[in-house]
Amino acid sequence: MHRRNLGILVLLATLSLAGVVLTQVIWLNRAKQYEQEKVALQEQQQRQLDKQFSDRVTIALTDVTERILSITKDPSDLFDAVKQERPNYYAVTINDTIHPYLLEALLKQEFKRRNINEDFEYGIYDCFTDSIVYGNYVSLHDSITADTSKHTKLLKLNKDGHYFGVYFPRRTSSIWKPKSGGTITWIYPAVVSFIVFAFFAYSMWVIFRQKRLGEMKNDFIGNMTHELKTPISTIALSSEVLSDPDIAKEPDRLHNYARIIRSENERLRQQVERVLQLAKLDRGGLKLNMEPVDMHEVIMEVAQSFEVLFDERSGHCSLDLKASNAVVDGDRMHLSNALFNLVDNAIKYSSGPPQVRISTSNDHRKLYIGVADRGIGIRKEDVRNIFERFFRVHTGNVHDVKGFGLGLHYVAETMRSHGGKVTVKSTWGDGSTFTLELPLGKAIAKT
Ligand code: ADP
């Protein structure tokens, strides 16, 4: 993807994400404001209703008291007789004996007249003995009068003289509580925002990964074309020379050109082999021909195949094969290729004469093969990428080494398919050590 297109895509995605979040915040705030206004209004209405109710009850009870006193005593004692003790409990002081049936009849009458359609309990108290003398529950709906023993909920108040109390059991609390839906209101948009954000982050990750892979693939094609072009043109030149009839007169030259063609052909074969390895990996992993493989033998073979190269560059390869058991179950060809790639890199990425040390050790489960060099080393930020397909360190002018960025990927895949792994320790400027870990072969590990 073009860099500018990617920039536009990221910008648009960020803007739309910010838009979604902002809209949600605005709507949430509005919803909260609306909810608060609704609660305040409902509280106010409830308070008004409560006040109306208590006014009506107070007036009704005053009327009841007045009527009782008018029968027995002077009604001028009425001042401040009715007191609301709780939102649902009223106490009425009458310094006289109250007849329960008269009281109940008057209460019913007055409540009906004042449109107070609520069940109530009343109790008459004798303040000298401080005990209830009579109590009853009055249901206005079914007009069934309960037994006097059901007055247990009546409150007892210490007061001088006689008094009676009226309690409205259905009016539990006058404080209106809003339903607790607030948390749910914001959890839903928060979850949606989170999902959108996760989707956005994941898409960006995929796009950037694809972009990087695309760039690496382009590098790979460039490298490969370059690597193939050189042997092809050398072979073309050599075969042109060989087609000259006079060449037969110079057998040494003829021999030399034939050798060049053979070695360039071998180079071509190796390059093609690498690309084929990649194609195999791409098609779903390596197909392994499993057999017991003595890795000490493999190491010695690989080291031998590099002898000429080490000599050419005045380098040295030392072997330190200490493992008491070096037999693994695996595919000899792939294991040999993997080791070959590591030694090849150790030579390629050494600026002076290559100094390589191959060592082995084992515990009761695994074989460890170390390939250490004193080469250019790898920067910390690159170490985590070197096993990726097509990855090559951008070294600028530090070294000009040809490669496809496939060797270490192949090593990692080979180890993975053998149930092992490859790790690396490297210091920039001071060399690297790659370690292969392979499970020991089962047949021999038991002995
Ligand atoms: P290639 O060698 O074809 O580029 P590899 O997959 O073998 O691909 O290696 C990936 C990168 O890791 C290389 O480009 C190189 O920068 C770095 N690398 C690999 N082995 C070594 C080593 N022994 N020392 C320093 N750098 C290394």
Side-chain angles (χ1 to χ4, degrees):
M1 191 183 283
H2 200 280
R3 191 177 286 269
R4 210 168 63 106
N5 291 348
L6 190 70
I8 293 171
L9 191 85
V10 173
L11 186 75
L12 285 179
T14 314
L15 284 178
S16 49
L17 188 72
V20 168
V21 173
L22 199 73
T23 316
Q24 297 230 9
V25 170
I26 290 171
W27 277 108
L28 269 179
N29 269 344
R30 280 199 191 162
K32 204 172 145 198
Q33 225 174 333
Y34 171 72
E35 192 71 15
Q36 279 169 349
E37 280 168 13
K38 204 172 97 184
V39 169
L41 194 73
Q42 277 171 329
E43 274 178 353
Q44 198 187 2
Q45 281 172 351
Q46 187 66 37
R47 268 198 299 274
Q48 271 173 3
L49 286 174
D50 284 350
K51 186 158 183 324
Q52 277 172 14
F53 178 79
S54 72
D55 286 353
R56 275 185 287 136
V57 172
T58 310
I59 292 168
L61 290 177
T62 312
D63 285 356
V64 169
T65 317
E66 194 179 11
R67 286 174 70 181
I68 292 170
L69 289 179
S70 67
I71 299 165
T72 57
K73 238 176 131 186
D74 180 10
S76 58
D77 268 12
L78 210 56
F79 177 71
D80 212 18
V82 180
K83 274 204 177 119
Q84 184 174 4
E85 305 278 351
R86 304 263 192 285
N88 55 358
Y89 181 75
Y90 299 79
V92 184
T93 316
I94 298 178
N95 290 316
D96 203 351
T97 317
I98 310 160
H99 195 289
Y101 300 109
L102 174 68
L103 177 64
E104 187 172 319
L106 288 174
L107 284 173
K108 275 181 177 173
Q109 233 177 53
E110 283 302 324
F111 283 172
K112 202 174 172 198
R113 206 154 67 87
R114 305 269 165 205
N115 214 12
I116 299 162
N117 299 316
E118 291 240 5
D119 293 3
F120 66 92
E121 273 180 272
Y122 71 92
I124 299 165
Y125 296 88
D126 179 347
C127 53
F128 296 110
T129 53
D130 198 21
S131 59
I132 189 161
V133 281
Y134 185 79
N136 198 12
Y137 183 94
V138 182
S139 169
L140 292 183
H141 301 291
D142 50 21
S143 72
I144 293 168
T145 308
D147 195 83
T148 44
S149 59
K150 285 189 180 173
H151 60 249
T152 46
K153 273 188 187 168
L154 284 171
L155 299 170
K156 284 188 175 186
L157 300 173
N158 284 325
K159 273 180 172 255
D160 291 329
H162 288 96
Y163 66 93
F164 68 90
V166 178
Y167 171 69
F168 294 91
R170 288 178 193 230
R171 298 213 144 227
T172 43
S173 170
S174 66
I175 297 159
W176 185 82
K177 285 191 189 92
K179 280 178 213 147
S180 59
T183 338
I184 295 156
T185 332
W186 69 261
I187 279 182
Y188 174 70
V191 168
V192 171
S193 298
F194 178 76
I195 293 169
V196 172
F197 186 76
F199 169 74
F200 167 73
Y202 182 69
S203 312
M204 285 298 121
W205 182 76
V206 170
I207 290 171
F208 276 102
R209 200 162 164 269
Q210 287 301 108
K211 183 177 174 280
R212 224 179 104 222
L213 204 69
E215 284 169 357
M216 291 199 294
K217 248 183 185 164
N218 285 345
D219 284 355
F220 164 74
I221 292 168
N223 277 336
M224 193 181 66
T225 327
H226 182 80
E227 295 276 298
L228 295 180
K229 252 162 100 186
T230 321
I232 288 171
S233 44
T234 316
I235 290 171
L237 274 176
S238 305
S239 49
E240 232 174 75
V241 176
L242 289 184
S243 59
D244 182 357
D246 291 342
I247 193 88
K249 290 173 203 157
E250 297 172 71
D252 277 356
R253 260 186 90 205
L254 187 138
H255 218 257
N256 198 26
Y257 279 108
R259 190 187 57 75
I260 289 173
I261 290 178
R262 214 182 310 125
S263 81
E264 288 302 298
N265 189 51
E266 175 59 19
R267 223 169 104 186
L268 265 181
R269 196 193 61 75
Q270 273 181 19
Q271 310 290 24
V272 172
E273 183 59 35
R274 285 190 184 188
V275 179
L276 285 179
Q277 276 178 10
L278 170 76
K280 267 188 209 161
L281 286 181
D282 264 0
R283 245 182 279 127
L286 302 168
K287 275 211 182 86
L288 301 179
N289 259 337
M290 298 298 268
E291 57 177 331
V293 182
D294 185 344
M295 287 307 288
H296 280 173
E297 277 176 25
V298 174
I299 291 167
M300 283 188 284
E301 279 165 20
V302 170
Q304 216 171 8
S305 69
F306 278 105
E307 250 170 27
V308 184
L309 209 60
F310 275 109
D311 285 348
E312 265 178 21
R313 292 187 53 184
S314 329
H316 181 249
C317 177
S318 63
L319 301 183
D320 183 16
L321 310 182
K322 287 214 182 91
S324 56
N325 177 11
V327 181
V328 299
D329 288 330
D331 185 307
R332 194 182 180 92
M333 191 261 292
H334 286 302
L335 290 173
S336 170
N337 283 350
L339 201 65
F340 185 95
N341 286 354
L342 290 187
V343 181
D344 191 36
N345 279 349
I347 298 169
K348 273 194 327 191
Y349 300 107
S350 293
S351 35
Q355 299 294 332
V356 179
R357 182 169 165 270
I358 307 177
S359 58
T360 62
S361 63
N362 71 287
D363 54 26
H364 64 288
R365 281 172 48 233
K366 281 183 180 170
L367 171 71
Y368 302 91
I369 304 170
V371 178
D373 63 59
R374 306 302 309 272
I376 60 168
I378 308 163
R379 283 197 182 88
K380 239 190 195 151
E381 62 267 28
D382 291 323
V383 166
R384 61 201 165 102
N385 296 319
I386 56 172
F387 296 106
E388 260 183 50
R389 209 157 49 127
F390 303 130
F391 181 85
R392 302 205 71 215
V393 175
H394 289 286
T395 44
N397 295 328
V398 179
H399 68 286
D400 180 24
V401 185
K402 302 279 173 292
F404 296 149
L406 294 176
L408 289 182
H409 176 65
Y410 173 79
V411 174
E413 282 301 305
T414 307
M415 288 305 113
R416 202 177 54 79
S417 54
H418 280 80
K421 65 175 178 183
V422 53
T423 55
V424 61
K425 276 197 181 120
S426 187
T427 315
W428 173 238
D430 198 33
S432 320
T433 302
F434 286 85
T435 306
L436 303 180
E437 285 182 35
L438 284 164
L440 285 171
K442 289 201 177 66
I444 295 163
K446 277 179 199 150
T447 59

